[in-house]
Every structure is written in structure tokens, then in C-alpha cells.
């Protein structure tokens, strides 16, 4: 078959960085990520060029998924950052700025890519080794005996998302809730004899409410807007405490023949109606649930009205249209097995338990509150997040999910890194000193010249400092002290004069080093040559 148009050359090239168009796209992407970085980062509005939904965000996950590019190299970098986020859930902007800065320095230095890759890998191992040291100056121990330590860690994540638009009091409230939800999902009791299984936090978003109305409930909140329409349900919930036996179905119990797939159904004259047969089968299922003393009957999809009436007449609490997102949390909390057939009897081991059921009013919504059956088990809790509009609510939900993931990571390694750019400047100083001292040996082991190694070392350390510089968005300057190598941001218009300490801020970026208690400190502009 002949081609309508001439075959175009492959998009991929062996040296994409030699093309000016590719470099311009990379520079633009770097500027986008840099301008969003930190608690004072600028927001971005992303929309299709033909209109439609407008996304307002400064979060790396939302931004990278919304901004598409046809350039293979940018796609590769974006995929790498998103993979990092899938593992660690945070620091996507940090990763992107560092990546683009390393590429930029390699281009400017004239190093061959293969040489730069070897040097960067070796320096990355130096960073990893330094961070694993007990006396590492970048690490702060997270004290699980103090909730304040956990709240501070959670707040460092939430406050770095400016699109949440939170006041100081709201940041503190949301950070406290994030820690509360995290602690509810950590199992109690003796867990040494079995592997530790963490619980789950389910987020419910309420638009139009005050942020301070946000709260956390142990157990699960299920949206059942028509709950009060059935008096038997209200009567069932008002009875004494549980535990209540629960049955959970993922198959549709509507009796719809379409569940059997596409095709034609041929019925002989005088044969029973298939819909009647299905309804009889559903009623047998209901009879078994009543006989087995099931008290909460839940289905992911739709339940036939006749079956609903039968179950409610016998005092069962019936909930339909749960949706697939709630199935796994219900299974985890109640111990039930999701039943995917209704043609066979329910096995006894498929039943779960809930401790109690209540109807709660959350904002303008009626919700069924299911309590976990016993303690200690990997608990499920519900975080109700409120905000003024949908955009802020989505950013707040993403920020809380990242804070929870960061808190979970501290269970494995209970340390945190300094914020405010101090980790980057301190690590850059350490790597620079160590690399300069051991330049001859390191260059020999890598099979490169010492001059090339020092070029790569300078680019690597400068890239780390570039991340700290990206925190400033208002025209200010950044300093580094020559004693602790911490980052000191100076606001615009307050430039440092030689020998004048009056304009230097009272504390460094992370707040651990105070100028008043450290006499004799010297500063120099960041990302410039300075003595060890």
C-alpha cells in the first residue's frame, strides 16, 4: 500500500541537547518548576488551548500530569519525577529542579555525558553515605514520644503547598488532624509476633465549609443521602451497641439481565420468566442473610427494590451504590470478604463485623458512620476535609495524603531533613570539601582526569545550591554562613554590605542556627566560590 505522505524521520535523535528547540523547552519546564517551589511558590493555571477545565496548582504531581509535551527527553524526565513521587509522594519539584540543573551544568562545562554520569553517580553515593552517618548535620531525629515533633513534620509538608491557601491557624489545625489520622492507622498492642499492617485513611471532601470544620473520625463514613427516608434504618441504628454482622457484595443485585453480558436470550413458550428466576434467587440470598443474623447488608452496586424491602422488613440496614473506592477499606476494617456471586450461598467466613452504626451530619450531607469492630487491629479512619472551593479542596486533599505518606516513611527511618534550603547548602559544602580533598583518588578510580572531576564536582554542588536558591521568588538574595553552611535568605532591598551583619536575618532558613547566639559568623553569597 503506497503512502499518502512521505515518511517523516524519527522524532528521537542521538543528541537532543544539541537542538535549540529542545533546550528552550527544557528551560521553560525548569522555570515552571522553579517558580512553584517552596511555601512562597507561585501558582500555575493550566488549561487546554481550546478551553475547558482550568487547573490551579503548584503541586508537582498535578502540574506534571497536566502539562504535556511531545518532546521525548522531557517525557523521560517527567516520567522519572512521577516515578519518584509514586515511591516517596513528595519532593517532586525538588527532584525536577535538581535534574534540570545538573543537565544545564553538564552542557555549560563541556564534559562528555558519559564522564558526567560517572561523576554524578559517585557524588550521589557520597551524599547517600553522608546522610546515613549518625553525626550527619542535615538530619533531625523524629521523636514518636512527642506529638509536636510529628505535627511539625506534617506541617512542613502542608505549608509548602501555597495553593491550599491556609492561614497559620488552619495549617496548625490540618497538621494536627493529619497526625491524628496517622496515629489511628498504626496498630496497637503486641505486634512483634506478626508483621505490622498499617490501617487506611479515607478522605471525604466537603466544599463550602470552613477549614476549621475539618475533623477526623475513627471508622468509616459512607455517603448515604437517603438514609432518613427509611424509618426502619433509623430504628435499626438507634438500637444498642454491636457488634453487628455485615455482608458485603461487589456483584450487582439489581436482577438486570445485562449482567450476563451481550447477546440474545431465547425463552421457550411456557418456560419461567428469567427475571422471576433471578428475583427468586435474590430473595433466597436475602433469606439466608436473615437466617444468618446479618444486620448490615452492603453492596457496591444496585440492590433490587424487592430485595431491599424484604431486608428492611426484617430489620436489616441496607446500603447500596457504595462504589469501588470504599470496598477495600470496608474489607480491611470489618474483616469481611467481598462476595462476587449471588447464585451460591454466602460462605460463613465471608461475614464481617462492625462495632456500631450512627448517622452523622457532615456539612450538608448525611453519612453513615461505621465503627471498627475491635482493638487493636489495623484501623480505618475517615478524614473530613473542608474548604471554601473545589480548587483549594483538591490541593488540600493532595497535601494531606503526602503528609500521611511522609509520616509513614518515618516509621521505617525516624529522621527528617532540615528545611529552608539548609540541607542543600550543608550537603553541598560537605561534598565540595570531601571531593576537593579526595579529588586525585576519586578521579583515578573513575578513570577521568582530575580537572574533569573538579568540573563535575563544581556542577553537582552548584546544582544542590540552585535548589536552595529556588526558594526565593521576590528578588531577595541568599547567603551561606562559613561555619555551619546553612542557608540565610535576605529579603529584597536588604543586601549584605561587607562587614555589616545588620541586614542578615535572625535565623537561618531552617531556624536551628541563630545569629545572636553564634558570634563571629561570616556569610557569603550563595552559589559563589567560598573557602572551606
Amino acid at each position: 500500500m503506497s503512502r499518502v505522505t512521505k515518511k517523516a524521520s524519527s522524532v528521537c535523535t542521538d543528541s537532543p541537547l544539541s537542538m535549540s528547540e529542545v533546550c528552550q523547552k527544557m528551560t521553560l519546564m525548569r522555570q515552571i518548576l522553579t517558580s512553584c517551589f517552596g511555601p512562597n511558590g507561585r501558582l500555575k493555571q493550566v488549561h487546554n488551548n481550546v478551553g475547558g477545565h482550568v487547573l490551579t496548582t503548584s503541586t508537582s504531581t498535578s502540574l506534571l500530569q497536566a502539562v504535556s509535551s511531545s518532546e521525548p527527553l522531557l517525557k523521560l524526565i517527567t516520567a522519572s519525577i512521577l516515578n519518584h513521587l509514586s515511591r516517596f509522594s513528595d519532593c517532586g519539584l525538588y527532584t525536577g529542579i535538581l535534574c534540570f540543573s545538573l543537565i544545564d551544568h553538564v552542557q555549560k562545562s563541556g564534559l562528555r555525558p558519559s564522564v558526567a554520569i560517572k561523576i554524578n553517580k559517585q557524588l550521589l553515593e557520597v551524599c547517600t553515605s553522608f546522610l546515613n552517618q549518625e553525626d550527619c548535620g542535615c538530619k533531625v531525629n523524629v521523636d514518636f514520644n512527642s506529638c509536636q515533633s510529628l505535627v511539625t513534620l506534617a506541617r512542613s509538608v502542608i505549608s509548602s503547598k501555597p495553593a491550599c491557601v491556609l492561614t497559620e491557624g488552619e495549617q496548625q489545625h490540618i497538621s494536627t488532624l493529619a497526625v491524628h489520622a496517622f496515629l489511628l492507622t498504626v496498630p496497637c498492642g503486641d505486634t512483634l509476633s506478626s508483621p505490622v499492617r498499617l490501617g487506611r485513611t479515607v478522605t471525604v471532601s466537603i466544599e463550602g465549609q470552613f477549614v476549621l470544620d475539618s475533623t477526623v473520625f475513627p471508622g468509616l463514613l459512607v455517603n448515604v443521602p437517603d438514609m432518613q427516608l427509611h424509618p426502619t434504618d433509623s430504628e435499626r441504628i438507634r438500637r444498642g451497641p454491636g457488634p453487628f454482622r455485615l455482608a458485603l457484595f461487589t456483584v450487582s443485585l439489581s436482577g438486570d439481565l445485562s449482567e450476563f453480558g451481550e447477546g440474545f436470550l431465547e425463552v421457550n413458550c411456557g418456560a419461567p420468566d428469567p427475571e422471576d428466576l433471578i428475583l427468586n434467587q435474590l430473595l433466597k440470598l436475602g433469606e439466608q442473610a436473615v437466617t444468618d443474623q446479618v444486620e448490615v447488608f452492603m453492596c457496591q452496586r444496585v440492590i433490587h427494590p424487592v430485595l431491599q424491602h424484604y431486608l428492611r422488613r426484617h430489620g436489616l440496614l441496607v446500603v447500596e451504590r457504595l462504589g469501588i473506592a470504599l470496598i477495600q477499606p470496608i474489607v480491611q476494617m470489618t474483616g469481611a470478604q467481598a462476595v462476587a456471586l449471588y447464585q451460591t450461598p454466602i460462605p460463613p467466613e465471608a461475614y464481617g463485623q462492625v462495632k456500631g452504626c450512627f448517622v452523622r451530619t457532615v456539612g450538608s450531607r448525611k453519612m453513615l458512620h461505621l465503627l471498627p469492630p475491635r482493638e487493636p487491629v489495623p484501623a480505618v479512619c475517615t478524614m473530613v476535609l473542608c474548604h471554601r472551593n473545589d480548587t483549594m479542596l483538591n490541593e488540600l486533599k493532595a497535601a494531606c495524603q503526602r503528609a500521611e505518606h511522609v509520616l509513614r516513611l518515618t516509621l521505617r527511618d525516624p529522621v527528617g531533613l532540615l528545611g529552608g534550603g539548609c540541607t542543600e547548602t550543608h550537603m553541598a559544602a560537605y561534598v565540595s570539601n570531601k571531593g576537593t580533598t579526595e579529588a586525585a583518588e576519586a578521579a583515578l578510580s573513575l578513570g577521568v582526569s582530575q580537572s574533569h572531576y573538579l568540573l563535575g564536582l563544581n556542577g553537582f554542588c552548584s546544582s544542590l545550591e540552585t535548589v536552595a536558591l529556588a526558594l526565593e521568588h521576590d528578588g531577595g538574595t541568599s547567603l551561606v554562613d562559613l561555619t555551619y553552611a546553612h542557608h540565610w535568605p535576605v529579603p529584597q532591598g536588604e543586601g549584605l554590605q561587607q562587614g555589616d551583619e545588620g541586614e542578615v536575618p535572625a535565623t537561618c532558613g531552617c531556624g536551628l542556627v541563630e545569629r545572636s547566639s553564634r558570634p563571629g559568623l561570616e556569610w557569603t553569597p550563595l552559589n559563589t566560590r567560598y573557602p572551606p
Side-chain angles (χ1 to χ4, degrees):
M1 183 176 179
S2 60
R3 292 183 178 274
V4 178
T5 59
K6 185 178 179 181
K7 182 180 179 181
S9 59
S10 175
V11 177
C12 298
T13 61
D14 57 350
S15 55
L17 294 177
S18 62
M19 302 170 61
S20 60
E21 183 181 357
V22 176
C23 292
Q24 290 173 1
K25 291 180 179 179
M26 292 187 63
T27 300
L28 179 59
M29 180 62 79
R30 178 182 177 182
Q31 291 172 349
I32 291 174
L33 298 181
T34 301
S35 64
C36 294
F37 190 53
N40 297 319
R42 304 314 193 222
L43 306 184
K44 295 293 177 289
Q45 289 188 322
V46 185
H47 68 96
N48 193 292
N49 59 356
V50 295
H53 175 70
V54 177
L55 172 69
T56 303
T57 185
S58 64
T59 306
S60 55
T61 306
S62 303
L63 197 62
L64 293 173
Q65 291 175 347
V67 178
S68 60
S69 174
S70 59
E71 179 56 47
L73 181 57
L74 276 179
K75 285 185 176 180
L76 175 63
I77 296 174
T78 300
S80 301
I81 299 173
L82 290 175
N83 179 65
H84 170 88
L85 287 167
S86 68
R87 294 184 60 194
F88 302 105
S89 189
D90 201 19
C91 298
L93 296 174
Y94 177 104
T95 305
I97 295 168
L98 180 62
C99 176
F100 283 115
S101 183
L102 286 171
I103 294 174
D104 184 57
H105 279 288
V106 170
Q107 286 185 280
K108 292 179 178 178
S109 66
L111 286 174
R112 295 197 310 275
S114 58
V115 173
I117 289 171
K118 289 195 293 185
I119 295 174
N120 286 337
K121 281 186 175 181
Q122 192 268 344
L123 296 176
L124 179 61
E125 292 174 359
V126 173
C127 292
T128 304
S129 175
F130 174 58
L131 291 174
N132 288 329
Q133 294 177 12
E134 291 294 331
D135 59 345
C136 173
C138 298
K139 295 194 299 187
V140 177
N141 292 326
V142 177
D143 183 11
F144 279 93
N145 293 321
S146 169
C147 287
Q148 186 57 43
S149 177
L150 298 177
V151 171
T152 301
L153 181 61
R155 184 169 180 171
S156 69
V157 178
I158 293 170
S159 64
S160 66
K161 308 294 185 289
C164 294
V165 195
L166 301 176
T167 63
E168 291 290 327
E170 291 170 345
Q171 287 181 8
Q172 183 68 22
H173 179 68
I174 295 297
S175 303
T176 304
L177 291 183
V179 174
H180 184 193
F182 163 70
L183 294 177
L184 286 176
T185 61
V186 177
C188 305
D190 182 18
T191 58
L192 298 178
S193 58
S194 61
V196 176
R197 288 179 62 243
L198 296 178
R200 180 189 297 261
T201 300
V202 177
T203 304
V204 174
S205 304
I206 306 292
E207 183 181 353
Q209 300 289 119
F210 294 109
V211 176
L212 296 180
D213 292 336
S214 303
T215 187
V216 172
F217 295 102
L220 192 62
L221 290 183
V222 180
N223 189 25
V224 190
D226 60 342
M227 173 65 68
Q228 297 302 320
L229 297 179
H230 306 287
T232 55
D233 288 342
S234 301
E235 180 184 351
R236 180 70 201 88
I237 292 171
R238 285 198 299 267
R239 294 180 188 176
F244 302 142
R245 177 170 283 191
L246 178 142
L248 177 65
F249 292 85
T250 56
V251 64
S252 174
L253 302 179
S254 65
D256 192 352
L257 292 175
S258 63
E259 290 293 322
F260 295 98
E262 297 181 358
F264 295 97
L265 184 65
E266 184 176 330
V267 181
N268 295 326
C269 182
D273 189 346
E275 294 185 356
D276 292 339
L277 292 175
I278 294 175
L279 181 56
N280 289 334
Q281 189 69 46
L282 292 175
L283 290 175
K284 287 182 180 179
L285 186 72
E287 290 175 1
Q288 183 192 355
V290 173
T291 303
D292 292 344
Q293 298 181 343
V294 173
E295 294 169 284
V296 182
F297 194 96
M298 312 187 83
C299 182
Q300 175 187 335
R301 304 186 191 180
V302 180
I303 301 177
H304 196 286
V306 174
L307 177 58
Q308 288 192 48
H309 176 73
Y310 175 84
L311 294 172
R312 287 195 171 98
R313 188 160 52 87
H314 287 82
L316 274 70
L317 174 63
V318 181
V319 182
E320 63 173 347
R321 303 176 189 270
L322 285 173
I324 193 172
L326 285 177
I327 297 300
Q328 191 56 38
I330 293 175
V331 169
Q332 187 170 355
M333 184 183 76
T334 66
Q337 296 178 10
V339 181
L341 291 173
Y342 63 84
Q343 292 85 359
T344 58
I346 309 172
E349 61 272 12
Y351 293 123
Q353 281 189 341
V354 290
K355 185 178 180 180
C357 304
F358 305 93
V359 172
R360 293 191 181 274
T361 302
V362 183
S364 59
R365 295 158 64 176
K366 295 283 187 181
M367 306 197 77
L368 176 66
H369 187 189
L370 303 176
L371 294 179
R374 62 191 183 278
E375 302 288 349
V377 293
V380 172
C381 68
T382 303
M383 176 181 284
V384 178
L385 290 178
C386 306
H387 217 320
R388 293 177 285 277
N389 60 50
D390 185 58
T391 297
M392 299 175 186
L393 196 54
N394 290 334
E395 287 289 301
L396 183 60
K397 182 178 178 179
C400 289
Q401 290 172 346
R402 280 160 179 74
E404 181 192 16
H405 194 185
V406 169
L407 290 169
R408 290 190 170 205
L409 291 176
T410 58
L411 289 173
R412 183 177 59 189
D413 192 8
V415 295
L417 297 178
L418 303 178
C422 292
T423 291
E424 292 78 15
T425 55
H426 187 89
M427 191 180 299
Y430 174 84
V431 173
S432 178
N433 291 340
K434 186 175 179 62
T436 303
T437 305
E438 303 174 359
E441 296 85 347
L444 184 62
S445 65
L446 294 175
V448 300
S449 67
Q450 187 170 342
S451 60
H452 283 173
Y453 179 81
L454 291 175
L455 273 176
L457 174 67
N458 178 62
F460 186 89
C461 296
S462 180
S463 297
L464 285 174
E465 293 177 345
T466 298
V467 178
L469 285 170
L471 291 169
E472 178 55 52
H473 302 282
D474 299 312
T477 56
S478 295
L479 308 176
V480 58
D481 68 84
L482 301 183
T483 303
Y484 302 99
H486 277 221
H487 175 230
W488 299 73
V490 179
Q492 184 181 18
E494 299 183 7
L496 179 69
Q497 302 296 326
Q498 188 68 27
D500 180 19
E501 299 180 5
E503 306 300 341
V504 178
T507 63
C508 65
C510 69
L512 287 184
V513 181
E514 297 181 357
R515 186 186 64 183
S516 59
S517 60
R518 301 290 194 276
L521 282 180
E522 297 182 19
W523 293 269
T524 188
L526 188 59
N527 219 343
T528 58
R529 296 282 185 176
Y530 55 84

